[in-house]
Amino acid sequence: MLTRIISGAVGVVLIGIVLFFHDTVVLPIAVAAIIAVMLFELLRAVKLHKCLPILLAAEACGIAEPILYGILTKISVMGVEYPGRFEFLSWRYEDKYKIYVFGIMLLCAFVIFITWLKKHKEIRYEQVFFVLAVMILVPQAMTTMVRMERYDPKSGLFLLVMGLCGAWIADTGAYFTGVAIGKHKLCPEISPKKTIEGLVGGILTTAIAYTVAFSCYYGFTAKRAAIAFITGAVCAVIGTVGDLSASMVKRQIGFKDYGKIMPGHGGLMDRFDSVLFVLPTFYVFIALFGVQ
């Protein structure tokens, strides 16, 4: 337990440092590093981490996305007063960003297919398509951290924190509710400790937390409170789906944890499995309905 607490505290400190420098290149670099570790853990799960061409192709695809987005969406403007000395210019570079990322993705996929053709007796098609899926899903989902911070110069950091907390608040609420009153198993074959009562508790906890947080930050209105409540509830459900999906992969492969980078917690995939689903969902709700 002590190891778990210390490891968690170190993680919180590191996240705090990254958030403190959120309006610099530190955020996209940190997101790229997280993506790199997560992809390595996933490739190791399907025993392709020792195949260097596939590993490098997947990592290059994953790292490029947050770095390019970070570079092309915030450019320092000297001599003009902008929030944080930056101007939000993503709309000017959106086409370039899409072309660059798509080009890199195609090149990396080409490398993977060439490697598969050369080693077709060793590498199964399930492994190849798993790698192709995760090298698209993980970078797209995690780069949402940079997207949210860049979404609004004034409240980008708040939105980023709420996006991250959406998954973790739900986990906390579900855990304590499940311990207190949990009786009916949710998915016993995939995650024996999860209960239906815990799921409901996680949904309500996240919905209420979002309602309070957004009302305090932006000011209370009935519309804003309703949107925040619904967003929190949906994020909690989506986060549970992400958590169960990652657990199902581990069970089918025969893994206990994806890695050991966080002693007592496992790998980064173990910590960010629900975040992978919550971040994009939160971003879509904010972009479509807004709570500002």
Side-chain angles (χ1 to χ4, degrees):
M1 178 59 73
L2 180 61
T3 301
R4 184 179 177 86
I5 293 173
I6 294 174
S7 179
V10 171
V12 170
V13 171
L14 291 175
I15 291 175
I17 293 172
V18 172
L19 292 178
F20 183 79
F21 294 103
H22 67 95
D23 59 351
T24 70
V25 72
V26 171
L27 178 60
I29 290 176
V31 172
I34 293 171
I35 291 171
V37 175
M38 293 173 72
L39 287 174
F40 179 81
E41 291 174 349
L42 288 165
L43 263 67
R44 182 170 55 188
V46 292
K47 300 179 181 179
L48 284 179
H49 61 295
K50 292 183 180 180
C51 183
L52 202 57
I54 290 181
L55 175 63
L56 292 179
E59 294 287 11
C61 183
I63 291 171
E65 192 157 340
I67 296 296
L68 282 173
Y69 194 87
I71 291 173
L72 295 178
T73 56
K74 262 195 173 179
I75 297 177
S76 181
V77 180
M78 304 303 294
V80 182
E81 291 296 326
Y82 289 102
R85 299 183 67 188
F86 288 99
E87 181 185 14
F88 185 61
L89 297 173
S90 63
W91 60 273
R92 297 185 187 179
Y93 295 94
E94 189 68 24
D95 288 339
K96 285 186 177 181
Y97 168 73
K98 289 178 180 178
I99 292 171
Y100 291 156
V101 170
F102 186 63
I104 292 171
M105 193 181 300
L106 280 179
L107 177 61
C108 293
F110 183 73
V111 171
I112 291 172
F113 278 112
I114 290 295
T115 305
W116 182 26
L117 290 174
K118 291 177 65 177
K119 300 186 177 183
H120 63 277
K121 292 183 179 180
E122 304 169 27
I123 301 173
R124 297 279 301 170
Y125 71 91
E126 299 98 327
Q127 295 171 293
V128 171
F129 286 102
F130 178 84
V131 174
L132 291 172
V134 298
M135 82 177 198
I136 295 173
L137 170 64
V138 174
Q140 285 283 342
M142 296 306 293
T143 301
T144 311
M145 292 177 64
V146 187
R147 291 178 182 274
M148 282 191 293
E149 195 278 330
R150 304 295 196 255
Y151 183 76
D152 186 340
K154 294 182 179 179
S155 58
L157 178 59
F158 172 75
L159 294 175
L160 173 56
V161 171
M162 293 310 299
L164 290 171
C165 287
W168 297 329
I169 291 173
D171 286 344
T172 304
Y175 173 77
F176 285 108
T177 305
V179 169
I181 60 174
K183 293 181 180 180
H184 303 88
K185 299 295 182 181
L186 181 63
C187 294
E189 294 182 357
I190 299 174
S191 186
K193 294 182 180 180
K194 290 189 182 297
T195 62
I196 295 175
E197 292 83 359
L199 173 62
V200 174
I203 292 171
L204 291 176
T205 301
T206 311
I208 293 170
Y210 268 34
T211 304
V212 172
F214 280 101
S215 296
C216 290
Y217 190 84
Y218 292 111
F220 176 82
T221 66
K223 179 181 177 181
R224 180 174 293 135
I227 293 174
F229 188 92
I230 294 170
T231 302
V234 172
C235 284
V237 174
I238 296 296
T240 303
V241 173
D243 192 359
L244 290 173
S245 299
S247 296
M248 183 169 60
V249 172
K250 285 191 294 184
R251 285 195 171 275
Q252 290 188 350
I253 292 173
F255 274 33
K256 181 180 183 294
D257 293 314
Y258 281 102
K260 298 179 180 179
I261 195 170
M262 295 182 66
H265 292 268
L268 289 188
M269 264 303 300
D270 296 291
R271 291 299 90 201
F272 285 91
D273 50 8
S274 55
V275 174
L276 276 176
F277 288 71
V278 171
L279 279 174
T281 303
F282 178 75
Y283 179 75
V284 167
F285 266 77
I286 295 300
L288 289 180
F289 305 110
V291 289
Q292 298 93 322

